[in-house]
Amino acid sequence: MSPAPPVTQVNPRHSGHAHLVIDHPPFAAPLLPTERPPAPAHDPRAARAAVLALSTVSAIRHEHAPSRLDHPGSPADREELDGVRAAVWGSTVKISDPALVEDGMAARALEDEFQAQKNRHPDARIVAVCERDFGASYTKILVAAPGAPDLMVEGFDELEITGDRRATLAAVGIDPDRLDEEHDASGEGFFDYDSFLHTLTGGALSVYADERRLESAFVVDRSEKGEDSICEVWLP
């Protein structure tokens, strides 16, 4: 599929983001939902390698100097859809790539990358998450934690769960029975997935007002797979 011109606009009513976190052993002590992660040094060279390993990327066109970790903005045009952020803190890799966003229909970029990372790093804990708002809000969470079956949470207004949240928490060293009612993984009512992801990723997806962690930002050339995903989800 031919790339769309850089000035091609994303529908302003559409937004979204996708993150991938790979936590390699040896694993740090697990974080409770209220605990803040440490601020280890960021490795720009390893971050660059992690981006180049993505199935959605064929090359890096430009690399910005590392900056404070922040929430990625939703892309406004085709040019911004080539922006990828990555951080490597010790044994933790965190990547944000809009080409991994799914819409709950035919797109499978996030799930395909999740499976590829699982095959590449069978001993790692891997979390992939995307949110897409295009009139309807879609969420997808994928978790691989050695010692527990894979977990998938996805849906629009109501999220469907495949797997066992309690088993996943136990696999990362959290006793679900020690969590308070708000974070109880056994209930059928409200569940705080932001806190759940904070615990599973060691705080890699949490951003603080006085953030001390650094990340790198890249402008990439897209692989055929990455371009197809962008055109399917962002520029239909």
Side-chain angles (χ1 to χ4, degrees):
M1 184 177 293
S2 299
V7 295
T8 304
Q9 297 293 299
V10 171
N11 188 322
R13 294 174 295 179
H14 294 187
S15 61
H17 60 263
H19 303 293
L20 179 68
V21 177
I22 306 154
D23 192 9
H24 297 279
F27 303 118
L31 289 181
L32 291 172
T34 56
E35 294 178 322
R36 180 167 179 165
H42 164 56
D43 185 342
R45 182 175 297 180
R48 182 184 180 90
V51 169
L52 286 170
L54 292 172
S55 62
T56 55
V57 172
S58 64
I60 290 175
R61 198 183 319 152
H62 180 71
E63 179 176 350
H64 297 278
S67 59
R68 299 292 179 185
L69 180 69
D70 199 359
H71 293 294
S74 189
D77 55 34
R78 177 63 190 81
E79 186 173 22
E80 292 185 2
L81 285 162
D82 285 338
V84 177
R85 293 170 176 261
V88 177
W89 307 303
S91 61
T92 298
V93 179
K94 185 245 182 181
I95 298 169
S96 301
D97 181 359
L100 294 177
V101 170
E102 294 185 10
D103 57 9
M105 292 181 275
R108 285 182 49 91
L110 186 76
E111 191 157 351
D112 288 348
E113 188 64 41
F114 173 76
Q115 293 296 336
Q117 295 290 341
K118 273 184 56 181
N119 293 337
R120 196 175 299 149
H121 307 293
D123 297 329
R125 296 171 183 164
I126 301 172
V127 176
V129 56
C130 75
E131 294 184 357
R132 178 84 168 108
D133 191 336
F134 53 108
S137 295
Y138 174 73
T139 298
K140 187 169 191 175
I141 299 169
L142 301 164
V143 183
D150 286 357
L151 178 74
M152 180 170 71
V153 181
E154 72 165 337
F156 290 87
D157 294 331
E158 295 185 6
L159 300 181
E160 297 183 2
I161 302 170
T162 302
D164 186 335
R165 292 178 302 198
R166 289 176 61 87
T168 300
L169 286 170
V172 301
I174 293 288
D175 180 356
D177 293 327
R178 293 184 57 199
L179 299 177
D180 58 34
E181 183 176 349
E182 182 180 359
H183 304 112
D184 181 6
S186 62
E188 294 298 325
F190 171 78
F191 185 73
D192 185 350
Y193 279 103
D194 287 338
S195 293
F196 184 63
L197 291 170
H198 177 85
T199 295
L200 295 181
T201 65
L205 294 177
S206 302
V207 179
Y208 297 86
D210 59 342
E211 187 60 69
R212 300 187 297 273
R213 292 171 294 178
L214 300 179
E215 64 178 345
S216 294
F218 303 88
V219 180
V220 303
D221 290 330
R222 291 298 181 183
S223 64
E224 181 178 355
K225 185 171 185 176
E227 191 65 37
D228 287 349
S229 175
I230 283 172
C231 290
E232 182 176 9
V233 172
W234 291 100
L235 306 170

